[in-house]
Amino acid sequence: MVQIKQTIRRQTLEDIEVQAQKIAGMMGHIRSAMLAPTEQKIAPSLSAVQLAELCGVDKAKIAYRLKRGDLPSGSIQGNRREWSMAEAQEWARDLRSVHLRPALAAGITITVANFKGGVAKTTSAVTLAQGLSMRGHRVLLLDLDPQGSATTLFGVLPDAEVDAEHTAMLLFAGEADTLEYGIRPTYWPNIDLVCAAPLLYGAEFILPARQSKDPGFEFWRVLDRGLDTIRESYDVIVIDTPPSLSYVTINALMAADGVLMPLPPSALDFASSAQFWDLFSDLCNQLIRSRGKNKSFEFIDVLLSRVEASDAASSVVRQWVLEGYGDKVLPIEIPKTAIAATASAEFGTVYDLPRGSVNSKTFARARDAYDRMCELIEQQIEAVWDRQLVEQAQVAAGA
Ligand code: ADP
Ligand code: MG
């Protein structure tokens, strides 16, 4: 075999700048091509079977309510009826009302976090937001990763289209005391978004600078406070974080009621997850307990993600995960599938893929796993709401 020898190609800073501009330009074109012909992402619509499954009723019940005519009737496409995502959510709100947030309960914040990149944080965060919104919840997705992957999945280009006022940056900089300014609607009904972009790296300098100027300042509580008024307007706030325990990630954890940690069953990922909790507990001791304060989470879930069923090494590590994290491990595994990769190549998730666009069996397997993940997390959210109501009743009775 003839071996071709590598040559070196010297690159100046100007070359690198040109390279960066080239890719940025390509991203704009790629997105336009993908969003053609409408230049906008569209949430998929649902068939009667899917609507019935979503609402937890049989098709006869759908037919009955359709006849009664008090819920959206959808539209006829070819010879079948289908409902837009917004219409399906209206049905879910009606038929699943027992699962929704009681009037006196507060919105629940769930932070998706892990030290590592590539463990499916962003995929899990966006899929969770979509799944919960389909079930009738009103969701805010807060992207805190300066790479803006979640922002990109929503069809917004972090580099070209996001300024500080679209991100949590103004809040971290102390120029705003609520995040309300940054909220925008998305193509997906009932999911609003606060974007991220590389400028959010600035928070890693501004937060410690504010802390050293004012020792009474609590850099870790900026986001928690900034979400106070927002918790009344949303049922669930999902936060996607960068692959590090940065100042921003600490804020996201301190603002959280629940934590979701995606964890592929690989030895290195398992080891790194131990470092994450170790460092986090050290930090909590330094920042919080040393001041006589405390912090608790309603739930911490470990989600086995990107699981290759046939891989012997991963079944060993899966055992470690189960032993190490015990009942924190959600009783569902997200399989590693080409479907997830296909979806992300189109800047979406399995919930974005139109029916019939891909191999139906693997698609169903991946989608069923995410459905179950959303169901399990929804059950925990409902349990927190129930407890809030009981506590309020006790306070009222004691008063
Ligand atoms: P993170 O936010 O932790 O960096 P991402 O959610 O961006 O991780 O996922 C990393 C990569 O893995 C992405 O290319 C994504 O499409 C892919 N991926 C995520 N989940 C799966 C899965 N279940 N099967 C196959 N690929 C996946
Ligand atoms: Mg990510």
Side-chain angles (χ1 to χ4, degrees):
M1 201 171 77
V2 184
Q3 294 209 339
I4 299 170
K5 218 172 169 185
Q6 277 288 317
T7 54
I8 52 168
R9 288 170 292 272
R10 201 145 188 260
Q11 301 282 302
T12 64
L13 289 181
E14 286 75 23
D15 293 332
I16 293 171
E17 209 177 327
V18 170
Q19 171 74 77
Q21 282 161 2
K22 181 176 168 190
I23 306 283
M26 278 175 68
M27 280 303 296
H29 292 305
I30 291 170
R31 186 188 51 171
S32 305
M34 248 157 217
L35 302 183
T38 52
E39 279 288 323
Q40 221 193 348
K41 281 187 83 166
I42 300 170
S45 46
L46 281 79
S47 68
V49 173
Q50 290 175 312
L51 186 67
E53 199 183 311
L54 178 68
C55 298
V57 297
D58 55 23
K59 265 183 83 177
K61 173 96 183 182
I62 300 285
Y64 165 74
R65 288 301 296 265
L66 196 54
K67 222 166 167 183
R68 223 168 83 179
D70 56 347
L71 284 167
S73 56
S75 57
I76 307 283
Q77 300 291 334
N79 57 2
R80 54 191 275 173
R81 191 178 290 277
E82 61 178 45
W83 286 267
S84 71
M85 184 57 69
E87 290 173 331
Q89 288 175 355
E90 247 183 83
W91 279 75
R93 288 194 72 79
D94 186 283
L95 293 173
R96 303 185 79 253
S97 57
V98 294
H99 300 286
L100 303 184
R101 175 163 66 118
L104 291 173
I108 302 288
T109 304
I110 301 176
T111 293
V112 184
N114 188 321
F115 247 173
K116 298 256 293 192
V119 297
K121 283 186 297 302
T122 301
T123 308
S124 306
V126 174
T127 317
L128 178 64
Q130 291 172 323
L132 290 174
S133 81
M134 281 194 270
R135 285 156 191 272
H137 304 285
R138 190 166 157 64
V139 182
L140 175 68
L141 186 77
L142 169 52
D143 189 357
L144 285 186
D145 182 354
Q147 295 188 37
S149 303
T151 300
T152 309
L153 285 181
F154 278 92
V156 181
L157 290 180
D159 299 289
E161 296 169 339
V162 178
D163 296 319
E165 69 263 28
H166 308 125
T167 74
M169 192 57 202
L170 299 190
L171 178 70
F172 289 130
E175 289 169 38
D177 46 15
T178 158
L179 198 51
E180 275 165 35
Y181 68 87
I183 296 175
R184 63 161 93 184
T186 68
Y187 75 98
W188 191 284
N190 281 310
I191 300 184
D192 287 348
L193 174 70
V194 176
C195 295
L199 60 89
L200 204 53
Y201 280 118
E204 300 307 310
F205 303 98
I206 285 193
L207 286 170
R210 291 179 70 190
Q211 187 72 51
S212 62
K213 253 192 241 151
D214 170 12
F217 175 67
E218 296 177 313
F219 78 81
W220 56 93
R221 290 202 53 205
V222 175
L223 182 63
D224 191 21
R225 296 214 169 102
L227 289 176
D228 272 345
T229 56
I230 295 173
R231 289 188 173 100
E232 291 158 23
S233 324
Y234 293 89
D235 302 318
V236 186
I237 301 172
V238 178
I239 308 183
D240 188 26
T241 61
S244 63
L245 201 52
S246 63
Y247 284 92
V248 162
T249 309
I250 293 164
N251 265 279
L253 289 166
M254 291 302 169
D257 300 295
V259 177
L260 177 64
M261 181 192 248
L263 182 58
S266 100
L268 292 181
D269 290 330
F270 180 70
S272 141
S273 77
Q275 294 165 0
F276 180 89
W277 293 114
D278 195 34
L279 210 62
F280 182 63
S281 98
D282 274 359
L283 269 165
C284 288
N285 280 332
Q286 270 175 42
L287 302 176
I288 300 176
R289 293 174 91 178
S290 67
R291 286 162 210 248
K293 296 186 180 162
N294 221 329
K295 159 80 192 164
S296 60
F297 295 98
E298 302 286 357
F299 55 88
I300 292 178
D301 291 334
V302 174
L303 173 68
L304 282 164
S305 64
R306 309 191 54 168
V307 180
E308 272 176 287
S310 58
D311 182 20
S314 64
S315 68
V316 171
V317 181
R318 189 201 281 116
Q319 283 311 311
W320 301 351
V321 173
L322 288 170
E323 192 184 323
Y325 287 103
D327 60 9
K328 291 193 187 70
V329 184
L330 285 177
I332 179 69
E333 294 177 4
I334 308 294
K336 181 169 184 175
T337 70
I339 300 297
T342 308
S344 75
E346 296 179 15
F347 296 130
T349 72
V350 289
Y351 286 137
D352 281 296
L353 290 175
R355 267 169 287 125
S357 64
V358 283
N359 177 319
S360 60
K361 221 166 153 188
T362 20
F363 176 64
R365 210 163 63 90
R367 196 169 159 141
D368 286 350
Y370 282 115
D371 284 348
R372 181 82 181 121
M373 171 189 87
C374 293
E375 188 182 332
L376 290 165
I377 293 177
E378 187 189 44
Q379 287 168 4
Q380 298 175 85
I381 293 171
E382 284 182 62
V384 178
W385 283 332
D386 285 348
R387 226 214 35 229
Q388 284 182 4
L389 293 190
V390 170
E391 282 169 6
Q392 282 170 10
Q394 281 168 348
V395 169

